[in-house]
Amino acid sequence: MELHFFPGQKLLLALHITGNNQVKVAGRYEAWSGPSTGGTDPRMPEEPTWPGEYIIAKAKVYLTPSWKLSGIKWGTPLQDKPSINDVWYRIKPQTWASVKKDHAISRKDIIRLHFELYQIRTVPPTWVFNDFGPVVIMWFEDRNNNKQLDGDETLSGQFFHTTPENEAQVSANLPVTFKNSHGCIHLHPKDRNLLFSQGFFNPGTPFTIHSYYERYLEKPL
Amino acid sequence: MKDILKNLCKSGVILLCSWLNACAVVEKSKLQWRYDGRVFSPLAEVNTGLDNAYYAFDTPEGLYLAGFKVDGKNINHPYLVFINKQLNRQIEWPQTQAVEQLFFYKKQLYLLDETGHTQIKTDNHWREHPLTLSANSRVITSEKALIACVPTPLASADYTRGHCYSITKNWRVDIAWRSVTPTLCNNILMAVSDYPSRGTLHQIDIDSGKIIKSSSEPQITPGQSLCDLLMN
């Protein structure tokens, strides 16, 4: 199994490699990269998705302080507290904390964000605003070619992930509209699930990011 | 001697400020409010019917409270409520968008919603007005000029730039602010950018929108008066 991403074509290819090195395309998926040249977002400048040969490392629920909405895990239970103008989020099975106090995000912000995504003015039962979606798939450059993350190898800061907008579109049976990322690869939520179920996101899968100028020219399936 | 004079001047300024503040208080209703929608005078309490109140605008006649009524399906319905100073009269106006702010401009009371649309109050009704601001704007001043600021968005996929702009003077300046709302101090717009690094204080000329001065003030916290920094 191999994955190949052609950012210039917004194309992710899932390939089966047979014993005699025959290549069979198992699937073609729309996927969006960062821009081909750096951007100027003051929060975090957009960057190209770096070409190279990598290995899929692992999937994980992602948290980062770099993005305000990504300091809470996707799916974290919420409790609406309108009378104190707050929303609580669960930090342990019996312990709740204030989203306003811990993350400087107001109840009104949460209602607005939820309305923008789901067209309903409620505090959702769980956190659906993490910019990285429910799960990210990480990769690394395998310098010693042993398919293991070891030695001086580090995980890439760019991942496969879905977006809150695309998750909301899928839940409403609406067409998915992609946007360029800050450097990660944006996937359709259904494609992510399919690639997981087919084993393409298993640790050890070879993954190549081609340059923005390369094109995959084989006939479509 | 010089120091004594200086201190006297300082005390004079403080006294003048206190008096002006006192005057300002007299011009308001003196009503207090809570997030659960209750409003208080020193003698009485009323419930507005709001399940959540998040913003109040005080006037000599009474208090305007913006908030939500939450129905049985947990859907929040945006409202603006007015409670008179005597707490014996209430008017409520259901809204299609959440109210962001109220402000006086050209002697009229305006309502600004989250989408940037405005309404003006005539008699006891609000009617749509063609004045439109950018979505998520906050009006910083509406006295001599109309200046508003839009915070840096929360979502990474939202590429709106945090900025301030003047509708009347036709300028815009990008400032990546979020945690501290910009303030007008002595005709200078003070704004603190959160990105790329937290705590750069910008002083902006309100006639031209040009940044006059920028300095690093990493100790600024939300809620702190930016005007104090100008005085220092």
Side-chain angles (χ1 to χ4, degrees):
Chain A
M1 282 182 176
E2 283 183 16
L3 287 168
H4 287 256
F5 179 50
F6 295 84
Q9 283 176 292
K10 300 177 174 33
L11 173 65
L12 178 67
L13 280 182
L15 304 179
H16 279 300
I17 316 289
T18 56
N20 51 0
N21 265 347
Q22 288 286 304
V23 177
K24 188 184 164 206
V25 178
R28 306 164 65 104
Y29 309 98
E30 183 175 358
W32 285 47
S33 65
S36 58
T37 55
T40 57
D41 188 335
R43 298 169 300 176
M44 184 181 288
E46 306 90 321
E47 60 179 22
T49 306
W50 302 116
E53 293 189 359
Y54 305 100
I55 297 290
I56 297 294
K58 61 179 174 181
K60 69 177 278 191
V61 178
Y62 193 64
L63 280 181
T64 174
S66 300
W67 296 101
K68 284 249 174 203
L69 297 173
S70 302
I72 298 176
K73 283 181 185 174
W74 185 280
T76 298
L78 300 177
Q79 269 188 46
D80 189 14
K81 297 286 172 187
S83 65
I84 54 171
N85 198 32
D86 202 355
V87 173
W88 287 359
Y89 69 113
R90 199 168 73 189
I91 51 174
K92 286 180 194 167
Q94 302 296 327
T95 312
W96 298 80
S98 159
V99 175
K100 183 165 64 176
K101 198 174 166 190
D102 292 357
H103 298 277
I105 300 167
S106 71
R107 180 180 185 273
K108 183 165 159 276
D109 281 333
I110 289 169
I111 290 171
R112 178 178 52 78
L113 290 164
H114 196 231
F115 184 75
E116 286 169 3
L117 292 171
Y118 294 87
Q119 291 75 53
I120 184 165
R121 247 186 213 101
T122 58
V123 170
T126 60
W127 190 254
V128 288
F129 308 116
N130 189 301
D131 299 287
F132 297 85
V135 66
V136 305
I137 297 99
M138 301 173 133
W139 60 78
F140 66 98
E141 191 180 348
D142 187 19
R143 292 189 185 134
N144 57 10
N145 293 313
N146 67 352
K147 293 199 171 186
Q148 305 281 325
L149 178 66
D150 55 13
D152 61 351
E153 294 161 354
T154 54
L155 290 166
S156 166
Q158 300 181 333
F159 328 119
F160 283 109
H161 68 87
T162 59
T163 65
E165 204 176 359
N166 292 164
E167 295 285 348
Q169 288 164 336
V170 166
S171 76
N173 281 323
L174 292 169
V176 163
T177 52
F178 288 97
K179 280 182 188 165
N180 272 122
S181 71
H182 282 74
C184 288
I185 301 175
H186 288 167
L187 276 177
H188 192 302
K190 286 182 177 169
D191 295 341
R192 173 205 56 205
N193 294 346
L194 189 66
L195 287 161
F196 263 121
S197 68
Q198 294 177 344
F200 282 97
F201 285 148
N202 286 349
T205 303
F207 169 44
T208 303
I209 301 176
H210 297 265
S211 87
Y212 282 73
Y213 306 104
E214 280 181 73
R215 294 287 181 271
Y216 179 71
L217 295 172
E218 198 176 307
K219 281 187 292 181
L221 283 176
Chain B
M1 186 61 175
K2 233 181 193 177
D3 284 347
I4 294 169
L5 279 175
K6 249 189 201 171
N7 284 334
L8 279 173
C9 285
K10 217 174 188 178
S11 313
V13 169
I14 291 166
L15 277 173
L16 181 66
C17 289
S18 310
W19 179 77
L20 285 172
N21 273 334
C23 286
V25 169
V26 169
E27 299 238 347
K28 305 286 182 186
S29 70
K30 283 189 177 172
L31 296 176
Q32 293 192 335
W33 63 284
R34 299 286 182 271
Y35 292 135
D36 62 8
R38 285 177 300 153
V39 177
F40 303 86
S41 71
L43 300 171
E45 170 188 334
V46 291
N47 199 324
T48 59
L50 295 175
D51 297 297
N52 165 245
Y54 57 81
Y55 168 79
F57 186 77
D58 203 0
T59 69
E61 294 77 32
L63 193 74
Y64 291 86
L65 210 54
F68 296 106
K69 288 186 183 184
V70 186
D71 69 16
K73 292 179 177 171
N74 295 324
I75 296 170
N76 287 252
H77 301 276
Y79 271 83
L80 180 71
V81 176
F82 173 77
I83 309 98
N84 74 336
K85 197 161 66 175
Q86 293 75 27
L87 296 185
N88 56 11
R89 192 169 63 92
Q90 274 190 48
I91 313 172
E92 61 176 39
W93 298 275
Q95 299 290 314
T96 52
Q97 304 292 337
V99 175
E100 182 64 42
Q101 197 178 6
L102 269 68
F103 61 96
F104 281 108
Y105 180 52
K106 293 181 177 171
K107 295 182 180 170
Q108 283 190 299
L109 183 58
Y110 282 73
L111 179 161
L112 170 68
D113 72 29
E114 278 184 340
T115 66
H117 290 101
T118 65
Q119 300 166 43
I120 55 166
K121 190 169 176 243
T122 42
D123 300 324
N124 275 334
H125 300 284
W126 290 94
R127 61 178 173 82
E128 283 182 23
H129 190 272
L131 175 71
T132 304
L133 284 77
S134 307
N136 302 316
S137 284
R138 288 175 207 170
V139 171
I140 308 302
T141 181
S142 54
E143 287 179 7
K144 289 174 188 162
L146 184 55
I147 295 171
C149 295
V150 175
T152 305
L154 290 165
S156 72
D158 184 345
Y159 285 91
T160 309
R161 294 297 174 99
H163 64 278
C164 294
Y165 61 103
S166 170
I167 286 180
T168 42
K169 302 273 183 178
N170 204 25
W171 55 257
R172 167 182 164 146
V173 58
D174 284 356
I175 303 280
W177 71 277
R178 169 132 212 118
S179 55
V180 182
T181 304
T183 313
L184 191 69
C185 311
N186 297 334
N187 283 327
I188 292 171
L189 180 62
M190 308 278 278
V192 180
S193 55
D194 290 78
Y195 307 96
S197 56
R198 185 143 187 255
T200 304
L201 175 69
H202 303 283
Q203 297 181 27
I204 300 149
D205 175 63
I206 61 166
D207 287 321
S208 64
K210 290 200 172 122
I211 296 174
I212 308 162
K213 190 178 166 189
S214 294
S215 55
S216 178
E217 303 279 355
Q219 75 285 4
I220 294 173
T221 52
Q224 186 179 345
S225 167
L226 296 182
C227 295
D228 291 347
L229 296 166
L230 189 64
M231 287 171 94
N232 293 336

